[in-house]
Amino acid sequence: MKTDWRERRHRWDTRYAPYAYIAPYFLLFAVFGLFPLLYTAWVSLQDRNLLDGDAATFIGIDNYVQLLTADPYFWNAMGNTLSLWLLTTVPQILFALGIAQLLNRRLRGRTFFRMGVLLPNITSVAAVTIIFAQLFGRDFGMINWVLSLFDLGRIDWQAGTASSHTAIAVMVVWRWTGYHALIFLASMQAIPTSVYEAARLDGASGWQQFWRITVPMLRPQIIFSTVIATAGNMRLLAEPLLFNPGAGAATGGSDRQFQTAALYLYEQGFAKFDFGYASAIAWLLVIATVAITGLSYLAARRIRTD
């Protein structure tokens, strides 16, 4: 009997123990991830004020119809989001590859530099945005001061669409490039040195080794970083919100020239207290994030490096 019991316990342990080990994650996800997601979907079907939830009324998909057919501000915010996605994702990946390649060389103080590239990522996003807002200031910003030294004039970075998108993209790229660079660096160090030695014997230059060996072997990491950068940029909020601090910060500029979809959600939910409408924006943003992330994944997989 004892032998049978031990055998059954061993079978149960082998079959069910892995599920028990991962159960805490799924429980936490169900409480703090899945439930808020489903609850937001339910709220998006209501006409609901954030300050008076008891007075909510069910209106079906009216919020979605209003967003997709009669709300130009939403489409403006989505256009700004896509613009910033293009201006941030590609530079992040390219700069991260270059930095990782430099840090992979035999340099003095490599540990110091490797720690240094991660400092922007661990810095408070509020502090980063406030500092960069000062750097891009119209009258006393350092960027305009440098431009004036070359007689290029002063730019009102917040006033224009292209200028404001450029300034915000610089903040995002500066903050996240080091994070991706360390991912690429860890992968570069796993590439066998024999591959590079064989390439050198065949007469390949350093540039050719980088594009013909390093980049192709980093394709999974490039795909991962592209997906992470895409998902992050689709919910960009703090940078455009703090780039124009004040009473009208939620509008993303005087003409909504840099209002992202996440910032528009913030305006509807926490400035106008239209919780149902904001929830509909959140779900459309989820769908758009999944779609664009999927397209980015497919595009990264199809990139030909030869």
Side-chain angles (χ1 to χ4, degrees), residues 32-100:
F32 298 103
L34 185 60
F35 172 74
L37 194 64
L38 297 177
Y39 185 71
T40 301
W42 166 246
V43 173
S44 69
L45 303 176
Q46 301 176 354
D47 179 10
R48 182 169 186 165
N49 188 284
L50 182 62
L51 303 180
D52 189 12
D54 295 333
T57 56
F58 182 81
I59 59 174
I61 62 171
D62 288 356
N63 285 328
Y64 293 96
V65 173
Q66 173 72 16
L67 274 171
L68 296 174
T69 62
D71 191 347
Y73 292 152
F74 171 73
W75 291 110
N76 171 74
M78 288 300 297
N80 291 335
T81 301
L82 292 176
S83 173
L84 288 168
W85 169 65
L86 290 173
L87 289 173
T88 55
T89 301
V90 176
Q92 278 183 70
I93 302 302
L94 293 178
F95 290 152
L97 283 171
I99 293 173

Side-chain angles (χ1 to χ4, degrees), residues 111-291:
T111 303
F112 172 78
F113 289 113
R114 291 173 182 176
M115 294 173 58
V117 296
L118 195 60
L119 286 178
N121 184 245
I122 64 177
T123 305
S124 168
V125 62
V128 171
T129 306
I130 291 172
I131 291 174
F132 271 90
Q134 296 297 319
L135 292 175
F136 285 99
R138 181 188 63 183
D139 298 320
F140 304 104
M142 182 177 292
I143 304 298
N144 277 341
W145 175 74
V146 173
L147 292 177
S148 66
L149 296 178
F150 298 94
D151 295 327
L152 297 177
R154 294 180 179 271
I155 300 175
D156 190 349
W157 294 96
Q158 294 182 357
T161 301
S163 58
S164 60
H165 287 197
T166 300
I168 294 173
V170 170
M171 302 179 202
V172 177
V173 171
W174 181 85
R175 188 163 184 264
W176 288 100
T177 297
Y179 169 80
H180 297 294
L182 289 184
I183 294 176
F184 295 154
L185 176 62
S187 301
M188 286 179 181
Q189 293 179 337
I191 299 175
T193 57
S194 58
V195 178
Y196 294 103
E197 293 173 356
R200 282 193 293 268
L201 291 175
D202 289 337
S205 64
W207 184 254
Q208 290 174 325
Q209 293 176 39
F210 177 72
W211 285 109
R212 303 277 183 171
I213 299 175
T214 305
V215 173
M217 298 191 75
L218 291 181
R219 179 173 293 186
Q221 289 72 34
I222 293 175
I223 294 173
F224 171 79
S225 291
T226 301
V227 170
I228 293 297
T230 300
N233 281 285
M234 289 299 294
R235 58 176 187 268
L236 196 62
L237 173 65
E239 287 83 354
L241 178 66
L242 297 176
F243 185 54
N244 181 35
T251 61
S254 57
D255 196 30
R256 300 179 182 266
Q257 60 269 24
F258 55 90
Q259 185 182 51
T260 61
L263 188 56
Y264 187 52
L265 185 157
Y266 173 85
E267 178 191 10
Q268 294 296 321
F270 300 99
K272 297 182 178 179
F273 306 113
D274 194 342
F275 203 36
Y277 202 64
S279 298
I281 297 173
W283 258 96
L284 288 178
L285 190 57
V286 168
I287 296 171
T289 301
V290 171

